C-alpha cells in the first residue's frame, strides 16, 4: 500500500499491535490529528496536526474543500458525526465559531441530524443507566469538592453485562457537577492496572498529569494506562491538582 492515514491520534501506541503490522505493508504512514504532540513518548514521522481544530472532522472538511470535492450526504454525515462527537455536541469548541460554521454548511445535506445525536449520545440501556447510577454514587470529593474521583471495578462492569467502552460516559457526568473543576475515573483492568480518564473545566490543564503516567490527549480531556496501587496513584493525582488549583 502506498499510503495509510491514521486519524485522531498521533500516538502510535494507541493502535498497537496494528501499527507495527502496518509498517510492514505500507510505504507511508501519515497521522492526521488535532491533539498536542506528546512531550515524552513516540513522535510521528509524518503528520499533519492542527491543535486549533476542535475535531479531526474540521481538518478533513478543509482538505475536502481545498480539493474542490462537492459535499454529498455521505461526506456531510461523516464530517458532522466527527465534529459533533469530538466537541460533545459543541460543548468543547475551543472558543471558536468554526465548528458551528461548518455544521451550517453540512446540515442541508443531512436528512436526520437528530438520529446522529441519538446514536452517539442516546440509546442507553437500563443496564448501563443502572451502572452509571452505581458509579456516580461512589464519587469521592477532595479540595473543597473541586476534585472528584471514582473507581470502577472490573466486576461491576461484568455485573451489568457491559464492556470497558461503556464506562466512558461516567467521567463526563461527574464534570457536570457545578463545584467540580476536575473529574477523574479509574477503570480497573487488573488488580494493579488502571485506565484513567481525566476531564476538567477551563481553569485546569489535565494533559500534563496524563503525560506523567505515559498517556496523552487534550488539554481538558486526557487519559492514561497506569500500573500500580490505586490509593498511591489516586493520592499523587490529588496532590498534583491541589497544587494546580492553588
Amino acid at each position: 500500500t502506498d499510503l495509510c492515514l491514521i486519524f485522531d491520534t498521533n500516538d502510535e501506541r494507541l493502535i498497537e499491535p496494528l501499527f507495527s503490522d502496518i509498517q510492514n505493508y505500507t510505504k507511508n504512514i501519515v497521522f492526521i490529528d488535532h491533539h498536542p504532540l506528546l512531550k515524552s513518548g513516540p513522535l510521528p514521522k509524518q503528520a499533519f496536526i492542527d491543535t486549533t481544530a476542535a475535531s479531526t472532522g474540521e481538518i478533513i472538511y478543509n482538505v475536502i474543500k481545498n480539493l474542490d470535492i462537492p459535499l454529498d450526504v455521505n461526506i456531510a454525515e461523516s464530517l458532522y458525526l466527527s465534529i459533533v462527537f469530538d466537541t460533545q455536541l459543541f460543548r468543547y469548541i475551543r472558543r471558536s465559531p468554526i465548528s458551528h460554521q461548518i455544521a451550517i454548511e453540512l446540515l442541508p445535506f443531512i436528512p436526520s441530524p437528530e438520529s446522529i445525536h441519538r446514536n452517539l449520545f442516546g440509546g442507553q440501556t437500563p443496564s448501563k443507566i443502572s451502572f452509571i447510577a452505581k458509579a456516580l454514587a461512589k464519587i469521592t470529593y477532595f479540595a473543597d469538592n473541586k476534585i472528584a474521583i471514582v473507581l470502577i471495578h472490573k466486576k461491576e462492569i461484568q455485573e451489568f453485562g457491559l464492556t470497558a467502552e461503556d464506562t466512558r460516559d461516567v467521567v463526563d457526568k461527574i464534570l457536570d457537577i457545578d463545584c467540580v473543576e476536575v473529574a477523574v475515573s479509574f477503570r480497573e483492568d487488573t488488580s494493579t492496572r488502571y485506565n484513567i480518564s481525566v476531564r476538567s473545566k477551563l481553569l485546569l490543564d489535565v494533559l500534563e498529569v496524563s503525560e506523567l503516567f505515559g498517556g496523552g490527549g487534550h488539554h481538558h480531556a486526557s487519559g492514561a494506562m497506569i500500573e500500580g496501587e490505586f490509593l498511591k496513584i489516586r493520592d499523587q493525582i490529588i496532590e498534583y491538582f491541589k497544587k494546580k488549583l492553588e
Side-chain angles (χ1 to χ4, degrees):
T1 304
D2 291 323
L3 176 64
C4 174
L5 299 177
I6 299 172
F7 295 92
D8 212 35
T9 183
N10 58 62
D11 185 350
E12 64 191 52
R13 296 171 300 179
L14 292 181
I15 52 168
E16 287 291 8
L18 179 62
F19 184 78
S20 295
D21 202 42
I22 289 171
Q23 293 183 94
N24 297 323
Y25 300 99
T26 306
K27 294 177 184 176
N28 294 286
I29 299 172
V30 179
F31 290 84
I32 298 178
D33 191 26
H34 67 130
H35 295 85
L37 285 169
L38 299 170
K39 292 177 184 174
S40 58
L43 295 176
K45 292 178 182 176
Q46 297 185 89
F48 180 82
I49 297 171
D50 180 3
T51 58
T52 67
S55 66
T56 307
E58 287 187 18
I59 299 172
I60 301 308
Y61 166 85
N62 289 322
V63 171
I64 288 169
K65 295 295 284 186
N66 285 319
L67 290 173
D68 291 326
I69 296 171
L71 293 174
D72 61 24
V73 62
N74 291 324
I75 293 172
E77 284 187 337
S78 298
L79 292 176
Y80 186 74
L81 185 149
S82 170
I83 292 168
V84 164
F85 182 72
D86 237 1
T87 63
Q88 293 283 296
L89 274 174
F90 304 98
R91 184 179 179 184
Y92 303 109
I93 58 171
R94 304 197 176 177
R95 302 178 186 179
S96 167
I98 292 174
S99 297
H100 290 289
Q101 290 167 347
I102 296 173
I104 288 169
E105 189 169 346
L106 298 176
L107 283 168
F109 294 90
I110 301 173
S112 178
E114 295 85 359
S115 66
I116 293 176
H117 301 166
R118 282 196 303 272
N119 283 316
L120 287 177
F121 304 108
Q124 307 286 15
T125 63
S127 292
K128 185 171 178 182
I129 293 298
S130 297
F131 164 77
I132 291 173
K134 183 172 183 177
L136 295 179
K138 300 196 304 173
I139 298 171
T140 50
Y141 297 91
F142 305 89
D144 296 325
N145 296 335
K146 292 178 182 176
I147 302 170
I149 294 178
V150 69
L151 169 62
I152 300 167
H153 290 285
K154 188 175 182 180
K155 63 182 180 182
E156 292 170 334
I157 301 170
Q158 296 168 341
E159 174 191 341
F160 290 95
L162 302 176
T163 66
E165 184 70 13
D166 290 312
T167 67
R168 61 183 299 151
D169 296 330
V170 172
V171 71
D172 293 313
K173 297 286 186 190
I174 297 172
L175 198 62
D176 286 337
I177 301 168
D178 281 348
C179 59
V180 172
E181 293 294 339
V182 58
V184 186
S185 73
F186 284 76
R187 188 193 75 216
E188 178 191 62
D189 288 349
T190 71
S191 59
T192 59
R193 183 175 174 85
Y194 300 91
N195 178 291
I196 66 162
S197 295
V198 192
R199 301 287 185 272
S200 72
K201 292 171 183 169
L202 292 177
L203 287 175
L204 282 176
D205 188 326
V206 298
L207 176 57
E208 190 175 283
V209 73
S210 293
E211 283 198 285
L212 290 174
F213 293 105
H218 297 286
H219 290 293
H220 298 287
S222 63
M225 294 295 297
I226 301 179
E227 295 272 359
E229 186 183 328
F230 165 69
L231 288 177
K232 286 184 179 178
I233 299 166
R234 185 201 68 178
D235 290 346
Q236 277 182 271
I237 290 173
I238 290 167
E239 286 306 309
Y240 174 88
F241 283 121
K242 275 184 177 178
K243 290 176 182 176
K244 287 287 186 181
L245 287 165
E246 288 167 5

